């Protein structure tokens, strides 16, 4: 019997189609932007505050979980086909591994076998190398943001009924500091908050960033804005999914699906006639 990836690819196509549909809904929700970012000053305190005008549809969180499930399922049903291509017999207990820690993946347990050997029993070395290259632990400290790690986190939380809620979010955020009394280039300084692709969930009335300015007592009395100003820049509104302090976006899902597609294609290229 020859290996057949029809079912695997069908799962992935379903995930991509559902993502496209959800992206269309999100595009309508985000135009115009569902939140406003305002600069609010009180005395010597200046803050950047978010105001939500429209909340997203709660059911979109269920769609997000379904997309993750279909993509994760595509990886799991890939394994039996790799076993078949390896000319071995599939046994229960095999599944696609997703590990953030290499030792947890390769270290033998009480049975004398590692998670890698148990989960990939019957899978040939040529396919194992693809799976190993795709592991989140390859990214080191950034393993938890790896597309497969994101996929695993969403799928596992959904299985355990840790419900996600939809929120307005921003995929990028930076602050510009302005000193009106200074001359360029000292007048302005820009600071990026957080890391690329790590979204900021938005809540109504949330103070995203603030400073307290204490002018020199020798300076003449003046409003804070005369001495110091902050300005939000590079804000890209998007749809976020939040649970237990973790927020993901449609961009995260898209990167996860691309990662799954790449794994399937690389394995397919190594199939033996």
């Amino acid at each position: 019997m020859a290996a057949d990836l029809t079912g695997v690819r069908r799962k992935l196509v379903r995930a991509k189609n559902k993502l496209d549909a959800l992206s269309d809904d999100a595009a309508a929700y985000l135009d115009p932007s569902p939140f406003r970012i305002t600069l609010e000053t009180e005395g010597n305190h200046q803050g950047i505050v978010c105001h939500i005008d429209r909340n997203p549809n709660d059911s979109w969180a269920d769609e997000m979980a379904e997309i993750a499930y279909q993509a994760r399922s595509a990886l799991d049903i890939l394994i039996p086909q790799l076993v078949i291509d390896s000319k071995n017999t599939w046994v229960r207990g095999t599944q696609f591994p997703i590990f953030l820690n290499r030792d947890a993946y390769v270290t033998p347990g009480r049975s004398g076998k590692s998670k890698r050997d148990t989960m990939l029993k019957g899978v040939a070395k040529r396919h194992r190398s693809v799976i190993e290259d795709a592991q989140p632990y390859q990214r080191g400290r950034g393993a938890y943001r790896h597309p497969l790690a994101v996929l695993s986190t969403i799928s596992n939380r959904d299985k355990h009924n840790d419900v996600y809620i939809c929120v307005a979010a921003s995929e990028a955020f930076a602050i510009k500091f302005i000193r009106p009394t200074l001359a360029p280039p000292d007048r302005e300084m820009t600071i990026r908050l957080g890391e690329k692709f790590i979204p900021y969930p938005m809540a109504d009335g949330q103070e995203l960033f603030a400073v307290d300015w204490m002018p020199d007592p020798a300076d003449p009395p003046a409003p804070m804005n005369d001495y110091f100003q902050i300005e939000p820049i590079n804000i890209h509104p998007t749809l976020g999914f939040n649970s237990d302090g973790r927020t993901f976006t449609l961009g995260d899902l898209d990167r996860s699906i691309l990662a799954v597609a790449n794994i399937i294609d690389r394995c397919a290229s190594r199939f033996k006639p």
Side-chain angles (χ1 to χ4, degrees):
M1 182 175 66
D4 184 1
L5 296 182
T6 302
V8 176
R9 295 192 186 280
R10 186 166 57 241
K11 285 278 188 181
L12 193 61
V13 167
R14 180 174 175 81
K16 186 63 169 67
N17 288 343
K18 292 183 75 68
L19 176 60
D20 289 343
L22 183 55
S23 296
D24 289 342
D25 290 336
Y29 165 67
L30 294 169
D31 187 20
S33 176
F35 59 82
R36 291 170 288 114
I37 305 297
T38 62
L39 178 63
E40 301 180 9
T41 302
E42 183 176 348
N44 289 333
H45 180 86
Q46 194 171 90
I48 295 173
V49 182
C50 174
H51 296 284
I52 303 294
D53 296 321
R54 290 175 289 113
N55 288 311
N57 190 322
D58 290 339
S59 68
W60 290 342
D62 300 328
E63 293 297 314
M64 180 271 298
E66 173 66 15
I67 292 166
Y69 167 78
Q70 294 295 339
R72 182 68 174 92
S73 180
L75 289 176
D76 284 337
I77 66 175
L78 169 67
I79 297 302
Q81 299 307 315
L82 298 184
V83 173
I84 292 172
D85 182 65
S86 304
K87 311 305 179 186
N88 291 315
T89 301
W90 174 74
V91 295
R92 291 187 179 277
T94 56
Q95 66 183 90
F96 191 96
I98 298 178
F99 281 80
L100 279 68
N101 182 284
R102 186 180 185 278
D103 287 343
Y105 183 50
V106 303
T107 302
R110 291 182 178 179
S111 67
K113 295 183 178 180
S114 65
K115 291 290 187 181
R116 174 175 59 186
D117 292 338
T118 300
M119 300 172 80
L120 298 180
K121 186 175 182 179
V123 176
K125 186 176 181 179
R126 65 181 181 277
H127 293 312
R128 285 193 181 202
S129 64
V130 173
I131 295 171
E132 186 139 346
D133 287 346
Q135 290 303 305
Y137 67 72
Q138 301 284 5
R139 201 176 272 191
R141 292 172 130 189
Y144 75 103
R145 292 302 305 183
H146 186 283
L148 292 190
V150 170
L151 194 64
S152 180
T153 298
I154 296 174
S155 299
N156 289 341
R157 287 192 179 280
D158 183 62
K159 289 177 185 176
H160 295 93
N161 294 319
D162 292 332
V163 179
Y164 278 83
I165 59 172
C166 273
V167 294
S170 175
E171 280 196 304
F173 204 142
I175 299 294
K176 181 183 290 185
F177 293 83
I178 305 170
R179 293 287 302 276
T181 59
L182 298 181
D186 298 324
R187 182 189 299 272
E188 297 181 359
M189 177 176 64
T190 299
I191 297 179
R192 175 182 290 277
L193 301 180
E195 301 176 42
K196 188 178 182 181
F197 299 136
I198 298 182
Y200 282 77
M202 303 294 184
D204 192 44
Q206 176 186 9
E207 191 172 64
L208 303 175
F209 187 85
V211 295
D212 290 291
W213 174 249
M214 299 302 294
D216 190 317
D219 292 336
M224 178 179 180
N225 286 352
D226 287 355
Y227 292 108
F228 190 88
Q229 300 169 17
I230 55 176
E231 176 185 332
I233 58 174
N234 295 336
I235 296 177
H236 302 288
T238 187
L239 184 64
F241 308 92
N242 190 41
S243 176
D244 194 27
R246 298 288 299 276
T247 301
F248 299 107
T249 67
L250 295 180
D252 288 314
L253 285 174
D254 187 50
R255 287 185 283 274
S256 295
I257 289 176
L258 287 174
V260 173
N262 181 58
I263 291 167
I264 295 171
D265 289 343
R266 289 188 63 195
C267 287
S269 70
R270 300 180 180 210
F271 275 14
K272 298 292 185 180

